[in-house]
Amino acid sequence: MSNRARRPHNGEWGNLSADWLMTHIVVAETLYLLYSMEEVSARLGWAWEPRCLS
């Protein structure tokens, strides 16, 4: 996939910024993981504990 796109206001070509995309990918991944954990907990009765990062 190319990161170039035509600008709607002047028709010139430019590069897309990945910052906006990355922000939304991180948010979407977090929501997906939280939803998955909630579903597993509800269906299997599992509990979750915080992970130690030491």
Side-chain angles (χ1 to χ4, degrees), residues 14-30:
N15 294 330
L16 294 174
S17 170
D19 295 339
W20 181 88
L21 183 60
M22 287 304 295
T23 299
H24 288 81
I25 287 173
V26 171
V27 170
E29 178 186 23
T30 301

Side-chain angles (χ1 to χ4, degrees), residues 12-54:
E12 293 180 4
W13 287 91
N15 294 330
L16 294 174
S17 170
D19 295 339
W20 181 88
L21 183 60
M22 287 304 295
T23 299
H24 288 81
I25 287 173
V26 171
V27 170
E29 178 186 23
T30 301
L31 290 174
Y32 172 78
L33 289 174
L34 290 172
Y35 177 77
S36 298
M37 290 169 65
E38 188 177 277
E39 283 293 311
V40 168
S41 295
R43 292 179 187 201
L44 302 177
W46 290 2
W48 304 93
E49 294 181 9
R51 187 170 43 166
C52 237
L53 299 175
S54 53

